[in-house]
Amino acid sequence: MWEHPGLNDCQAAHDIVAGPAGVAVAERCPDGKERIELLNARSGTALWKTEISTSTLQLLAVGTNSVALYQGGLVSQVIVLGPGGGYVSQTPCPCGDGASLRAGTVAGTVFAGGPIGLIGVGGTVLVGDPAIGLVGFDGSTGKLLWQKPTGGGPVPRVLAQDGDAYVISAGALVRVDPVTGEQQAVPGAPGPLDPGGVVAAVGGYVAAGSAAGLSFSGPAG
C-alpha cells in the first residue's frame, strides 16, 4: 500500500507501533535525535512529526490521538505525545533499557481524513512496569488519568480487548477499570498464568494457552 523511507539523513524506522490513531514510527537522525511520526494507516501520510534529543527511545502504544513512548538515558521517563505531537505527560520511570515496560490501548473513536485531519475521542493508553506500577493516560489527549501499584513483581502483559483492560501480575489475571485504574482479580480465571503464554479475555471468558496446554474459563452460571 505504501512505504515510508528515512528522510533528511534519518535512518529507516527502527521502531513501529500501530493503534487506533494510525501507525507511529521512530527514526534515528543525526545529532543524537529521534524523529517520531504518526502516520495515517491507509495512506502513510504523516499526521504529525516531532523530534526528541535522546540516546534511547522505545515506542509503547498509540491511542486515539496520542503516542506513548519511553525515553531512556540521562532522563528516564514515559512520555505521552498528544494532538499534533506536543508533549502532554511526562512520568519519571527508572526503567533501564525499557525492556520490562508493557503497554496496551483501550480503543475509543477516531475520525481521520479529509479537511478535519485527525480527531480522537476517548480511549485509554495503559503502561505498566515494576518501577511505576500501572499508569493510565487519556487516549485522545495524552493526559495522565491515574497511577496505581500492581501486585508486585513484573507486569509481563497488558491486555486491552473488547473494551476491557487486563494485566497479568504474579501469575493472576487482573481486570483494570480503564477510567479509574481500580483492579480486581478475575474470579475463576485459569492460573497461574504463564508469562510467555497466550491469553485472550473477552466478555468474562478467558482462554490461556502455553506449552503446558490450553485452559478456559467463563462467567459463573
Side-chain angles (χ1 to χ4, degrees), residues 12 59 65 76 84 97 101 106 113 124 129 133 145 153 158 161 176 178 186 193 200 213:
L59 296 176
N65 199 356
S76 297
D97 62 3
L101 281 159
V106 178
T124 306
D129 185 271
L145 296 175
V158 174
Q161 301 171 150
V176 180
V186 177
L193 296 172

Side-chain angles (χ1 to χ4, degrees), residues 8-10 28-34 51-55:
N8 300 327
D9 297 325
C10 296
R28 290 192 177 93
C29 301
D31 301 322
K33 293 184 177 181
E34 290 267 356
E51 291 186 351
I52 297 176
S53 295
T54 182
S55 60

Side-chain angles (χ1 to χ4, degrees), residues 71-221:
Q71 176 187 10
L74 294 177
V75 179
S76 297
Q77 58 184 348
V78 172
I79 299 172
V80 182
L81 305 174
Y87 281 61
V88 178
S89 301
Q90 296 169 262
T91 304
C93 181
C95 303
D97 62 3
S100 60
L101 281 159
R102 296 293 182 267
T105 301
V106 178
T109 303
V110 176
F111 303 93
I116 65 173
L118 173 65
I119 298 177
V121 180
T124 306
V125 174
L126 306 174
V127 178
D129 185 271
I132 60 173
L134 190 65
V135 189
F137 302 92
D138 187 297
S140 60
T141 66
K143 292 182 179 179
L144 176 69
L145 296 175
W146 46 263
Q147 185 171 3
K148 302 281 188 178
T150 57
V155 181
R157 193 81 54 82
V158 174
L159 306 172
Q161 301 171 150
D162 196 37
D164 284 328
Y166 301 86
V167 295
I168 299 174
S169 181
L173 184 67
V174 179
R175 186 184 183 280
V176 180
D177 185 320
V179 177
T180 66
E182 295 302 317
Q183 302 171 34
Q184 183 177 16
V186 177
L193 296 172
D194 183 346
V198 177
V199 179
V202 179
Y205 294 90
V206 181
S210 67
L214 177 68
S215 56
F216 179 84
S217 69

